[in-house]
């Protein structure tokens, strides 16, 4: 393994930790052309590492966020922005399972982990469900970007 391969692995790992389905997996599958087990291992490891890191940092991050908001925006009237409506709808309709399931797809892994730990204070349960969700989405995205996306591109003609 040379330095170029190591840098590819690190970039895919870090991108998978932040933006999983639309960053790390497409880079590993379509650009770097990693084989199945290498792509699944690196992207899932990035997502799992991000989940564990942000689940353990969540209390500190949320405490600092609350201090920042109360210091600089003390009299702010709460508005329902689209992100709040989306997470509220997912949380009310599907609970922890829905938030964990949709986090790697719609949100990002760090934001989904922070929201999950904030709403459902059991870190071990959140981490466990996030790992299952990450591996499931990883398999789906690998299949999609490796097999279905090239078929879609060849059959859809844009002029």
């Amino acid at each position: 393994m040379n330095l170029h391969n190591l840098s590819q692995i690190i970039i895919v790992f870090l991108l998978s930790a932040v933006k999983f389905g639309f960053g790390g997996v497409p880079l590993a599958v379509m650009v770097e052309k990693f084989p199945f087990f290498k792509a699944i291992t690196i992207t899932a490891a990035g997502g799992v590492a991000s989940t564990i890191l942000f689940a353990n940092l969540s209390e500190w991050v949320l405490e600092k966020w609350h201090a920042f908001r109360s210091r600089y925006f003390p009299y702010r009237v709460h508005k329902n922005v689209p992100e709040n409506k989306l997470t509220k709808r997912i949380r009310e309709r599907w609970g922890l399972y829905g938030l964990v399931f949709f986090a790697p797809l719609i949100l990002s892994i760090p934001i989904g982990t922070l929201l999950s730990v904030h709403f459902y204070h059991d870190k071990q349960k959140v981490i466990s469900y996030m790992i299952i969700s990450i591996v499931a989405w990883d398999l789906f995205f690998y299949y999609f970007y490796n097999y279905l996306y090239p078929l879609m591109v060849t059959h859809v003609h844009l002029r």
Side-chain angles (χ1 to χ4, degrees):
M1 179 187 314
N2 57 18
L3 192 60
H4 179 67
N5 289 343
L6 184 62
S7 67
Q8 288 176 336
I9 291 171
I10 290 171
I11 290 170
V12 169
F13 179 86
L14 292 175
L15 195 56
S16 296
V18 178
K19 195 61 182 164
F20 185 73
F22 301 110
V25 180
L27 179 67
V29 175
M30 297 171 63
V31 176
E32 302 298 340
K33 305 272 192 245
F34 286 163
F36 176 75
F37 287 111
K38 186 175 183 179
I40 296 294
T41 304
I42 294 169
T43 55
V48 169
S50 175
T51 298
I52 293 170
L53 176 71
F54 281 96
N56 290 319
L57 288 177
S58 62
E59 291 174 3
W60 180 80
V61 168
L62 292 171
E63 179 183 304
K64 294 296 180 186
W65 176 249
H66 179 67
F68 172 79
R69 284 187 57 194
S70 63
R71 180 176 179 186
Y72 292 107
F73 305 104
Y75 301 110
R76 181 174 173 246
V77 176
H78 180 70
K79 294 181 182 178
N80 278 333
V81 293
E83 293 85 9
N84 289 347
K85 289 179 185 177
L86 178 67
T87 56
K88 183 179 178 183
R89 192 176 327 130
I90 291 173
R91 185 172 49 113
E92 288 176 352
R93 185 173 289 174
W94 292 298
L96 175 62
Y97 302 113
L99 193 58
V100 165
F101 180 75
F102 289 115
L105 179 66
I106 298 172
L107 303 169
S108 65
I109 292 175
I111 294 172
T113 303
L114 285 172
L115 288 174
S116 298
V117 170
H118 174 70
F119 292 135
Y120 306 97
H121 302 285
D122 188 3
K123 287 182 191 177
Q124 294 301 325
K125 185 184 274 189
V126 169
I127 291 172
S128 301
Y129 292 160
M130 281 294 285
I131 290 171
I132 293 168
S133 174
I134 287 167
V135 171
W137 278 116
D138 201 7
L139 293 170
F140 171 78
F141 282 132
Y142 181 86
Y143 179 76
F144 177 78
Y145 287 121
N146 205 24
Y147 299 111
L148 295 179
Y149 186 77
L151 288 175
M152 289 178 8
V153 169
T154 58
H155 292 296
V156 175
H157 302 288
L158 300 174
R159 292 183 184 200

